[in-house]
Amino acid sequence: RGAPPSRALAAARMLVPRALCLLAALAAGPALAEDYGTPDVFGQFAEPLHVPPAYANATAPDDVLASFPPSFAFGLASAPAHVEDGLEDAWLEHARGGHVAAWSHVPRAHERNRFWSEPEIELDIVRDAGVTLLRMGVDWARLVPSARASDVGTIDEEAWKHYARTLHACRERGLRVMLTLFHHSLPPWLGEVGGWTNQSSVAHFSTFARAVLSRVAADEGLRDNLHSVVTVNEPNVFAGMTYCARAWPPARDPPSAVEAAHCVTPWGDYASAMARMADAHHAARRVAKEVGLAHVPVGVAHHVPSFDAATLADRPAQRAAETLAVFWFHDLVASACDFTGINYYGREILAGGGLAMPLSEEYSEAGRSVYPEGLYRMLRAFHKRSPNVPIYITENGVADATDRLRAPYLLEHLLAVRAAMDAGVDVRAYVFWTIADNWEWADGYCPKFGLVDVLRTPEGIEWVKRPSYELFRQVVTAGTGKPGAGGRITRGQRDAAWTQLQLAVRRKERRPFCRADDGATALDHAKQRPFSRRDWRYGYHMGPQAAPLRRDRRRGRAAERALVNGTYWAGVAERMDAGWREITAAFYGREDGGAGGAEPRAGPAADWGAALGTPKLAEARAWLFGPDAPGSSGDRGLISAVGLDDLRTWLRSAGGNATAFLHGQASASEPAARRDGGAGDEWGASVWRAHKAAVEWAQDVADHRTSRSARASLAGRARALAAAAA
């Protein structure tokens, strides 16, 4: 009583639909209990997580946690609309119309990554990474620029010759090609008539596929180097973003709530587009067999996030999203796939009809929650759905400009893959997204997915390899540096990657984030978000499931803290070392920091001491006392003859005393004299002793050899030495 009716009505409007949805979900029972690799209505998983014993038992840095056979293919991926310059496609028109975030203010945005004019730049990067597989595409709009060309079955031959040269360049670099035919970029002439919702799209795509695949089959080098064909990339994403959300080209007004709801019904544009793309896949696979590529696997790359619900009341929304996104397209094409392609980036937590973005979770810049266990569960779910079909991971990656997340993200997801393989899943390839930072659809250039940083300025574009690039190379070549050697992950690599991330957490560092609070709206300029403290490593995640490694959590946490602390102090000592050497070199002109040793012949202190007995001093005397010094009357100098001899004597003694005090030299006329007692040496030696004690202390902590009392004693000694040096 007394509460405004409007507030009660608002609460009822919020709670009643959720309650009805929950009751409907519970009533559906087994129908909604299908294993999507995600929590069910009650938050439970269909099967426990499998964690190989080596993940918990390995202790030495060189212990191997996971290894992959030489037959396992590692690769990198890109797509034409992301990287090709000189491409007048629907996305460029969309961006010029102001519908792409983080684009208009980016220098040379229209050039993308110059993969058309200078493909050798990124091809060399891929080769040097040690992989044997490159996933790339051919752009439909570039090869078939008009509906008339499609109707008569012709393509732009000059454009195809250019693609053929790039494909041959891959072969010359030892890179097999996973060729994608449709990767989120419709020809504008087809988009204008409804795109995939138009029945004619199937015939147009079949014509395009025949033109490309027949030319590949006719070239022996290209045919033998073709690893596989991806007909359609992420059909569920393209259908949802283009026809339901209307966020992708062609540009249209945002849908109303009624239009958005109708879109996902069995009679809406989503179902229509999915059906057309499925028909297009079937047609393209038939074409591949007809033109002489029967030996080449043909499949689809499915986008499969791991869905979860923020609350029990959000479970029905989770199940609805899974129905639309996980198995819908797979079931339409499963009978005509030689492999199942999985694009996995992370988890999406649903709340109140939108996306939750809790700070407790770790997120990529593109708004995906980092969740390696989800990849394991998705692989298991698709394996159970099609047990006799091999799986290629066609995309997996993280947007991370800081490169803090990327190293542990890569390792933990590969550990999830290895665990799935141990559990019986036939995974044959892992393709990381992506080579270098590029144009990420409607997000523009804000998310940084690349192993290589791309620096864009008005003057040009520069590619700079990130530290994660070298880690990736070490992993995929099993530490040999040779492609095709099989992959390997060690305990030391895992600990080092995680420790670096925890140091960022400890320092309260922040990082760019390219999504608004709703988790869906792309930002023109990234905001800042802190790193999460959550332990999201494979097997450690603190979700509702019982992680097998949790029993070791206390011991593991203690070792982790010691490792992070040791690494932190070792870093401090390293910075002290570098700083002291710089000071020493600048002041004394030598590299060592102890007393004695090198001659003070380059630094300003040495120059000052030596100058007292050099012609520089004679010049100064002449200016002060006249050119006839010594012995002159000094009548032409600045200072008169009055007190001249006394002044000369004082200058000589003062110079000698100052030099002796600083360098320990006997007189100013001996710049190369021994240096055994000067204050400069004593000061340097004191600081050096304090520094060496700090290094030893940090090393002891890092090696876990000291007890708490010993560490306290060492800390006290270090503080005392530092105070004495100060």
Side-chain angles (χ1 to χ4, degrees):
R1 184 166 47 184
S6 58
R7 185 177 301 173
L9 184 60
R13 286 175 176 171
M14 179 183 70
L15 295 175
V16 171
R18 289 187 174 187
L20 292 176
C21 287
L22 180 60
L23 290 174
L26 294 174
L32 290 179
E34 185 168 13
D35 182 15
Y36 289 99
T38 55
D40 61 18
V41 173
F42 301 101
Q44 302 300 311
F45 288 91
E47 63 177 48
L49 189 72
H50 171 64
V51 180
Y55 293 8
N57 298 335
T59 56
D62 292 335
D63 286 351
V64 176
L65 298 180
S67 59
F68 298 84
S71 60
F72 190 89
F74 284 100
L76 289 168
S78 70
H82 287 282
V83 298
E84 287 186 10
D85 53 326
L87 182 59
E88 294 290 330
D89 62 344
W91 279 103
L92 189 60
E93 181 181 346
H94 204 54
R96 287 170 174 165
H99 305 290
V100 173
W103 194 89
S104 59
H105 61 83
V106 176
R108 299 177 176 266
H110 65 285
E111 293 184 23
R112 307 187 210 201
N113 282 26
R114 296 181 180 168
F115 193 72
W116 182 257
S117 60
E118 300 177 87
E120 62 278 358
I121 294 176
E122 294 201 357
L123 291 181
D124 288 344
I125 290 171
V126 176
R127 176 201 59 201
D128 295 344
V131 300
T132 58
L133 183 62
L134 172 64
R135 183 183 172 199
M136 60 169 285
V138 290
D139 190 77
W140 189 356
R142 190 190 287 276
L143 288 173
V144 187
S146 67
R148 178 175 176 78
S150 182
D151 289 338
V152 299
T154 61
I155 65 172
D156 186 326
E157 291 295 343
E158 289 303 316
W160 170 251
K161 289 178 182 177
H162 189 100
Y163 275 126
R165 287 193 295 271
T166 302
L167 293 171
H168 278 293
C170 292
R171 183 172 60 87
E172 293 164 1
R173 288 166 172 79
L175 302 170
R176 299 194 70 193
V177 174
M178 178 185 286
L179 188 65
T180 305
L181 297 179
F182 174 71
H183 201 134
H184 294 339
S185 185
L186 273 177
W189 52 264
L190 184 56
E192 291 169 0
V193 295
W196 287 114
T197 62
N198 190 314
Q199 181 62 44
S200 68
S201 59
V202 178
H204 285 303
F205 185 76
S206 179
T207 301
F208 165 64
R210 183 175 296 277
V212 172
L213 297 180
S214 63
R215 284 165 173 76
V216 171
D219 187 317
E220 183 179 0
L222 300 186
R223 182 179 68 245
D224 294 343
N225 197 51
L226 189 61
H227 174 275
S228 52
V229 175
V230 176
T231 56
V232 181
N233 181 76
E234 297 180 347
N236 55 340
V237 174
F238 186 84
M241 296 300 292
T242 303
Y243 303 112
C244 297
R246 297 181 185 174
W248 286 10
R252 290 170 293 166
D253 293 333
S256 65
V258 173
E259 289 172 329
H262 179 267
C263 183
V264 296
T265 65
W267 310 276
D269 285 346
Y270 183 86
S272 175
M274 294 282 271
R276 302 287 180 272
M277 284 186 275
D279 292 342
H281 165 77
H282 283 274
R285 186 171 181 269
R286 287 194 299 270
V287 165
K289 308 307 177 186
E290 292 170 3
V291 299
L293 298 177
H295 65 289
V296 177
V298 178
V300 170
H302 302 275
H303 175 75
V304 284
S306 177
F307 288 104
D308 205 346
T311 67
L312 181 63
D314 296 306
R315 290 291 179 202
Q318 173 196 333
R319 276 295 182 246
E322 289 165 344
T323 302
L324 291 170
V326 180
F327 290 135
W328 183 327
F329 197 82
H330 171 272
D331 292 346
L332 292 175
V333 300
S335 62
C337 281
D338 303 307
F339 68 89
T340 298
I342 299 294
N343 293 1
Y344 178 84
Y345 288 92
R347 180 168 57 171
E348 296 186 4
I349 303 173
L350 304 179
L355 292 174
M357 308 292 286
L359 289 176
S360 60
E361 292 287 332
E362 192 67 88
Y363 278 84
S364 75
E365 294 167 358
R368 281 122 176 183
S369 172
V370 179
Y371 184 52
E373 291 176 13
L375 178 55
Y376 168 85
R377 296 191 181 281
M378 284 297 159
L379 292 173
R380 287 288 300 159
F382 273 85
H383 173 69
K384 288 189 286 187
R385 198 80 168 189
S386 300
N388 299 319
V389 180
I391 293 177
Y392 300 164
I393 297 173
T394 42
E395 289 181 26
N396 177 236
V398 62
D400 173 31
T402 68
D403 210 39
R404 297 286 198 187
L405 288 175
R406 190 171 287 106
Y409 180 99
L410 167 67
L411 297 179
E412 298 305 324
H413 283 80
L414 281 174
L415 291 174
V417 174
R418 181 68 256 188
M421 294 169 68
D422 290 349
V425 182
D426 184 10
V427 185
R428 300 185 184 180
Y430 175 88
V431 180
F432 190 80
W433 184 273
T434 179
I435 306 164
D437 297 340
N438 54 44
W439 180 349
E440 290 292 334
W441 309 126
D443 288 335
Y445 287 97
C446 186
K448 310 297 185 185
F449 276 95
L451 290 170
V452 177
D453 188 7
V454 179
L455 305 177
R456 299 177 182 275
T457 65
E459 291 73 33
I461 301 175
E462 182 182 359
W463 286 256
V464 180
K465 295 174 183 175
R466 292 187 167 108
S468 56
Y469 175 91
E470 177 59 24
L471 174 65
F472 181 75
R473 190 186 68 82
Q474 292 175 3
V475 168
V476 304
T477 61
T480 66
K482 298 178 180 178
R488 184 184 68 189
I489 299 172
T490 65
R491 175 62 185 263
Q493 288 171 331
R494 190 187 198 191
D495 286 347
W498 187 251
T499 297
Q500 289 302 315
L501 176 59
Q502 294 312 296
L503 287 174
V505 173
R506 181 190 187 115
R507 296 166 183 158
K508 298 182 179 179
E509 294 180 8
R510 301 174 73 83
R511 59 190 180 83
F513 192 65
C514 301
R515 293 293 175 92
D517 293 339
D518 61 5
T521 305
L523 300 177
D524 261 332
H525 298 276
K527 62 181 182 180
Q528 295 296 305
R529 180 184 176 97
F531 289 99
S532 169
R533 295 182 177 274
R534 176 172 287 245
D535 190 344
W536 46 262
R537 289 174 294 173
Y538 182 79
Y540 284 87
H541 190 75
M542 293 293 290
Q545 67 277 16
L549 295 183
R550 195 175 299 170
R551 63 181 180 274
D552 300 322
R553 198 168 190 82
R554 183 174 297 178
R555 176 180 60 81
R557 283 293 194 189
E560 243 173 59
R561 283 194 296 272
L563 181 64
V564 170
N565 288 336
T567 304
Y568 176 78
W569 284 110
V572 171
E574 184 178 345
R575 290 192 294 274
M576 286 176 64
D577 187 7
W580 167 241
R581 289 180 184 277
E582 287 180 13
I583 292 172
T584 302
F587 198 60
Y588 293 105
R590 56 190 177 89
E591 291 293 330
D592 68 304
E599 183 180 309
R601 59 180 179 273
D607 289 343
W608 173 76
L612 294 175
T614 64
K616 292 182 181 178
L617 186 58
E619 292 176 10
R621 284 200 301 268
W623 180 73
L624 287 170
F625 306 114
D628 297 327
S632 71
S633 61
D635 56 352
R636 286 181 294 173
L638 186 65
I639 298 176
S640 69
V642 179
L644 181 61
D645 293 336
D646 291 339
L647 185 58
R648 287 176 184 154
T649 302
W650 180 85
L651 280 171
R652 289 194 184 98
S653 62
N657 291 339
T659 302
F661 172 78
L662 188 61
H663 295 290
Q665 296 175 187
S667 71
S669 62
E670 300 175 356
R674 68 184 187 279
R675 305 176 62 248
D676 53 6
D681 279 345
E682 281 301 313
W683 173 74
S686 298
V687 175
W688 190 254
R689 284 195 296 271
H691 163 68
K692 295 297 284 186
V695 170
E696 293 169 1
W697 176 45
Q699 189 61 50
D700 285 339
V701 175
D703 292 344
H704 315 302
R705 290 199 300 262
T706 56
S707 63
R708 180 179 300 177
S709 60
R711 284 198 296 272
S713 175
L714 283 167
R717 284 176 52 203
R719 284 194 293 271
L721 285 167

